[in-house]
Amino acid sequence: MAITLVNPDGLPTVDVYRQVSIATGSKLVFIAGQVAWDADGGTVGAGDLAAQVERCYLNVGTALAGVGASFDDVAKLTVYVVDWTPDKMPLLLEGIARAAARLGVTPVPPGTLIGVAALDVPEHLVEIEATAVVD
């Protein structure tokens, strides 16, 4: 595994991600922002943030697997949420938990959550991009 996740002393411990990742692999993998599309390009979970978060994570997992990687290789996630407010956190966490259960992993690399006005189409509520490092 090319990634070691750490919560250094002096920084808060957050359950859903680690503060730092240390990458020791030799190949960088950049996953384009994944939205709640199925394999045919249809939107999954219209109007349902938790369902869309789940699908985005599953799509990131599919993209990683396509290049011989997994969530264990992810150094950084960036999550973009339309009209973000803190009261949406339970739905975000529910979607992550559902994806984690389906993927059989706990995706906790360092992450950044960014509220945005809109994404590519009005139906998409969330987009997740990933950077991975593999040997």
Side-chain angles (χ1 to χ4, degrees), residues 53-117:
V53 168
E54 177 183 10
R55 185 58 191 221
C56 290
Y57 271 88
L58 295 175
N59 287 350
V60 169
T62 298
L64 290 164
V67 297
S70 73
F71 270 97
D72 289 337
D73 301 305
V74 174
K76 175 83 166 61
L77 289 173
T78 304
V79 179
Y80 303 91
V81 182
V82 173
D83 296 327
W84 175 258
T85 55
D87 63 310
K88 293 181 181 179
M89 185 61 81
L91 294 172
L92 180 79
L93 296 176
E94 177 185 336
I96 293 170
R98 289 176 7 195
R102 289 183 64 187
L103 292 165
V105 300
T106 303
V108 292
T112 299
L113 177 83
I114 301 171
V116 296

Side-chain angles (χ1 to χ4, degrees), residues 36-47:
W37 278 333
D38 61 20
D40 297 320
T43 298
V44 173

Side-chain angles (χ1 to χ4, degrees), residues 36 43-53 88 91 122-126:
T43 298
V44 173
D48 183 342
L49 180 60
Q52 289 200 16
V53 168
K88 293 181 181 179
L91 294 172
E123 295 82 25
H124 291 157
L125 305 174
V126 62

